[in-house]
Amino acid sequence: MLIFVTESVSKMWPVVILVWLSAPFGLSCTPDLQFPSWFKFGASTSSYQIEGAWNVSDKAESKWDRLTHTIPETFKQATGDVACDSYRLWRRDIEMIEELGLQFYRFSISWPRLLPSGFPNIISEDGKRYYNNLIDGLLEKGIEPVVTIYHFEMPEIFQELGGWTNPLISDWYADYARVVFSLFGDRVKTWITINEPSIECDYFHTSEMPYNAGLEHGVASYMCNKYVLIAHAKAWRIYDTEFRHKYNGKVSFSNHLLWLYPSSPEYEELTEISREFISGRYCHAVYSKEGGWPPVVEENVAKFGRKIGYTRTRLPPFTKEEIELVRGTYDYFGLNYYTTRLVRPSYPGESVNPSVFFSVIDVDAVFDIDPDWRNGLNKLLPIHPIGLRQQMEWVQKHYGEMEFIISENGYSSTGSNLNDYERISFIKDHLEQVLMSINEGINVTKYSYWGLMDDFEWLDGYRSNFGLYEVDFSDVNRTRTPRKSAAYYSGVIRNRSLCYEPTHIDINTIEI
Ligand code: BGC
């Protein structure tokens, strides 16, 4: 099917839609493809990945400034020094968000930009102004700001003291969160305390990162796991006692969960243990009725530790007070979903993948990728849309009914690629699963695509592009151009249905 839309400058809208032929992608426009009126669509970014201005005004260094400047080879020679230059170009970002018709925009605050010393003794006037402008600019256009307080951007001074593995970090973080709530809480009603503790602790605590004293696997990652949960809980409690009565917002954190299937039915038990390691380790303490670590995780870490000569468990225990502090500190479940793995026991003598997130330690399990799954550029993230719904079902079965916000879900390509049909299918296939979840009675209220635009993609530098908008990183103006997926997503949003209708965004022809 062909849909023709006149070529135009993206800002000149509405542009005439010439032809609209029934439903795209073989979907017929039935009411079950309609999103409920309360459902909201958004897109996400994070400060280090887009802002640039790494040393402007009184901003201090973050761990990423230090890493990219000292070991550039690890990041494909890329830095976030300029990135998308959103510190300067935030007005254009808002324009894009408006063009897309997003109901909310998820962005993060840079801790070292707002608090240059890391502590609340100095609050940067420029940092404050930047985030106030962004929040007010969004609200003027009727767009809800959804704000992440921490998205991987540890102040370098704290990283040198161990970052998330230092028990004191939870208080330093909580003090920072209090400043953020007091400055912006009158206008921000949805908060994400910490982005993806599992990626922060398990994936970034790998040997490629030079800050773990060689203790990354099963030591530093578990310490980080505990203190990141305590930090989240302290921030939630601060909001609950000091701000909720005035501002009535919602606070939780965003978990990146890897959905797991048994590669054969006899591995169901091993798969469930692996789910407790991958997902339960970041959920049980907060969402379960009992709190603390999942019991099977405690047992396995102790058992495997004894086998290799440890006399003490490497999983830092929670005290009774800590269990109570962390338990129940949520207002919704924030889920970042990208991919799935198949679980099986390791073969004799087989070495287990050293990247902790995409395999586990302390469980004799190996995670495989089904060769039939489609891929974007990033081969760690093969596409398996049904995993999104099954992951939510698992969470709900284990921890009970609650509100779900999908705070990230995205597809990576590389190079200039405005005709990104694969991204369109990716979005459509995942939104279909969201609709099915809603129809099954799961209370999903928001979906946020990652990302609004191409950005600095951590270990991938600028090679991996997730954006609805393409960014020209060789241009001083960091020109942003909508991809066809932007047109598709905006059509879905305006129509509130997977029965896509083309909109004003500049596209020439969508061939489906
Ligand atoms: C992170 C983002 C990242 C995205 C795509 C997520 O795990 O939160 O910062 O850009 O994945 O790689």
Side-chain angles (χ1 to χ4, degrees), residues 289-363:
K289 292 203 172 45
E290 317 78 54
W293 297 116
V296 71
V297 169
E298 285 177 319
E299 285 155 27
N300 266 50
V301 176
K303 194 171 79 191
F304 271 70
R306 277 196 299 274
K307 266 201 219 163
I308 51 173
Y310 281 93
T311 50
R312 184 192 291 278
T313 180
R314 284 155 294 126
L315 192 69
F318 284 105
T319 63
K320 272 205 179 93
E321 293 72 29
E322 287 169 341
I323 290 178
E324 284 317 303
L325 171 77
V326 179
R327 200 166 63 95
T329 52
Y330 65 91
D331 297 315
Y332 61 87
F333 192 99
L335 175 63
N336 293 358
Y337 175 77
Y338 285 85
T339 191
T340 295
R341 291 289 188 277
L342 295 170
V343 180
R344 63 167 170 86
S346 61
Y347 304 131
E350 182 183 26
S351 71
V352 172
N353 179 347
S355 157
V356 184
F357 182 70
F358 292 105
S359 72
V360 285
I361 45 169
D362 293 312
V363 181

Side-chain angles (χ1 to χ4, degrees), residues 46 49 106 151-152 195-196 199 256 336 338 378 381 408 450 455-458 464 466:
S46 91
Q49 294 180 272
R106 174 185 173 215
H151 194 122
F152 303 156
N195 180 63
E196 300 189 340
I199 296 293
H256 184 136
N336 293 358
Y338 285 85
N378 189 331
L381 305 176
E408 278 183 40
W450 182 277
D455 61 4
F456 172 85
E457 275 297 330
W458 312 116
S464 186
F466 283 81

Side-chain angles (χ1 to χ4, degrees), residues 85-97:
D85 208 2
S86 284
Y87 189 73
R88 185 169 64 93
L89 300 173
W90 60 271
R91 287 186 187 79
R92 171 69 183 129
D93 294 349
I94 295 180
E95 219 171 62
M96 285 146 53
I97 294 162

